[in-house]
Amino acid sequence: RIPLSTDKARIRATCILDISSATCLDLIVDTGFTLRNDTTIGRALTVNGNITSTGIIDFSYSGTSTLFLKGSANSIVSFAGGTANTVNYSATGNQNILSLSYSNLTVSGSGIKTLTGDATVNGLYYNEAQFNTVNNNFTVLGQSFIGNGSSASNTSFTKTGTIGITRLAGKVNFRNFSAMNIESNTLELNGGYSIASTNATLTAGKISFNGSQTITGNINVFTLVSNCFAEITDNSIVEIAAGAGLSVLYINGLSVNSSLINKGALIFTSSTQSMTVGLIDVSTFYNIIYYSFNGNFTIPMSTYRDLYFTGTGVKSLSSNLTCTYLDVYQSNINYGDFTLQVNGNSKF
């Protein structure tokens, strides 16, 4: 019979999930037996307690099925996620996320969801909870959706450990009230990111832009990617699209073939020179450069569009400098033997 939400179910045969939805309290899949999803139609299985499987859970068949896990002590030895199916850790409270190869991984509910080992997923959908990868390698091959998009609940993607790589190969979509904190580790981005609102933050020890990609979104998100430095790998092009912003301590290329194209807002928060290796392009009509830090600094380029200085200290020209707009707050500008030409408005 179909189990009830209060039943403890045990599988000792090959069992096909062929109803639209099913719910049980606990689920056991014994060694030598298999639970698999329907071959064509999406199904949903909710385990309100824990799942313990020494057999096989096979969700590799077509049909967008979802396995909802609400327990805090789940154990799965063999799992196949396929290409379109989802595992959703959806408890109200803390949960361990198993070290598996997922198709789509969703983190919902509330509490802290802690990754227990290395994991690879095709897509990440996370909201309403805190997700911590600790010391593990975590790779998302497709798109990532960070934050719940609707309310200021306690949602965050964090890595509190000191080892392990976080690699997001597809586009990262930061939705309303989203936060990512990789702390002292490296975040590798392969597909760029998009900011949907002003309530999104991203911090890391280092951002590694690996592969050509575009940053899009809200130009008002100036705190995004702050207090970290960034690198652009060989033969990679990072473009900040019109309306978007990137804020870093500094950014540099790893080879002469590394490129940074600014069509939006680029904010530097330290005096370390950026793009001393590689190419930086600030020639587009609408682009903004902020030098936002205290201390002395030598201005590296000769041509800007909109140029802003905030913070104390002396900012010195290294050559004749031309810009369309100049805004200086607290800083002192040292011309030396050079000429400063502002073709539009100035604010001091």
Side-chain angles (χ1 to χ4, degrees):
R1 67 177 176 87
I2 299 173
L4 303 177
S5 60
T6 56
D7 286 341
K8 295 183 178 181
R10 188 162 198 159
I11 294 175
R12 292 178 172 176
T14 296
C15 180
I16 299 174
L17 184 62
D18 62 354
I19 59 174
S20 60
S21 64
T23 303
C24 64
L25 178 59
D26 292 316
L27 176 63
I28 297 173
V29 181
D30 283 335
T31 303
F33 303 107
T34 300
L35 169 65
R36 70 172 178 85
N37 66 314
D38 191 86
T39 57
T40 57
I41 301 173
R43 305 298 190 186
L45 173 61
T46 300
V47 182
N48 286 326
N50 293 307
I51 183 169
T52 303
S53 175
T54 55
I56 299 172
I57 298 179
D58 187 355
F59 270 48
S60 65
Y61 291 85
S62 60
T64 54
S65 298
T66 301
L67 176 61
F68 293 91
L69 299 180
K70 295 181 179 293
S72 59
N74 298 293
S75 176
I76 299 175
V77 172
S78 178
F79 177 79
T83 59
N85 298 295
T86 300
V87 177
N88 187 339
Y89 290 84
S90 55
T92 302
N94 298 341
Q95 285 181 285
N96 289 330
I97 296 179
L98 301 178
S99 175
L100 302 170
S101 291
Y102 299 91
S103 177
N104 296 316
L105 174 64
T106 297
V107 179
S108 63
S110 62
I112 301 174
K113 317 298 185 183
T114 303
L115 190 63
T116 59
D118 297 347
T120 300
V121 307
N122 288 332
L124 174 66
Y125 304 85
Y126 125 80
N127 54 62
E128 305 288 354
Q130 301 176 66
F131 176 41
N132 191 348
T133 62
V134 203
N135 283 312
N136 303 299
N137 296 312
F138 182 69
T139 299
V140 182
L141 300 177
Q143 290 198 67
S144 300
F145 294 84
I146 309 299
N148 65 15
S150 61
S151 66
S153 58
N154 191 9
T155 66
S156 62
F157 182 123
T158 62
K159 182 176 183 62
T160 57
T162 58
I163 59 175
I165 296 172
T166 302
R167 176 175 174 258
L168 305 180
K171 183 179 180 180
V172 184
N173 300 275
F174 289 95
R175 300 181 289 192
N176 264 349
F177 308 105
S178 58
M180 177 177 285
N181 184 6
I182 309 300
E183 296 192 359
S184 60
N185 293 86
T186 297
L187 171 64
E188 181 181 328
L189 296 175
N190 302 149
Y193 60 78
S194 174
I195 309 301
S197 76
T198 58
N199 298 293
T201 59
L202 167 58
T203 58
K206 179 176 72 174
I207 306 293
S208 178
F209 293 101
N210 186 9
S212 296
Q213 52 197 281
T214 302
I215 297 169
T216 61
N218 193 330
I219 200 169
N220 294 314
V221 190
F222 289 159
T223 59
L224 187 80
V225 194
S226 59
N227 299 319
C228 74
F229 70 95
E231 66 183 20
I232 303 174
T233 60
D234 184 30
N235 290 316
S236 296
I237 300 172
V238 175
E239 178 180 311
I240 305 170
L246 172 66
S247 175
V248 290
L249 292 170
Y250 63 93
I251 186 170
N252 219 339
L254 296 186
S255 82
V256 294
N257 298 315
S258 306
S259 297
L260 174 63
I261 302 172
N262 182 36
K263 297 180 180 179
L266 183 57
I267 305 97
F268 299 113
T269 58
S270 82
S271 60
T272 301
Q273 294 285 358
S274 290
M275 296 307 292
T276 57
V277 177
L279 171 69
I280 182 170
D281 183 350
V282 294
S283 63
T284 57
F285 186 76
Y286 290 107
N287 77 81
I288 305 170
I289 300 291
Y290 284 78
Y291 292 108
S292 182
F293 48 83
N294 297 325
N296 299 336
F297 179 68
T298 300
I299 305 168
M301 296 183 292
S302 61
T303 303
Y304 294 83
R305 299 296 302 184
D306 293 356
L307 180 59
Y308 289 73
F309 295 99
T310 62
T312 60
V314 179
K315 317 306 183 193
S316 301
L317 275 65
S318 59
S319 62
N320 294 333
L321 191 152
T322 302
C323 62
T324 302
Y325 174 81
L326 178 64
D327 190 314
V328 180
Y329 177 71
Q330 294 184 320
S331 299
N332 294 315
I333 304 299
N334 179 16
Y335 300 87
D337 296 326
F338 303 109
T339 300
L340 172 63
Q341 178 177 328
V342 182
N343 294 326
N345 295 328
S346 300
K347 183 179 178 180
F348 294 89

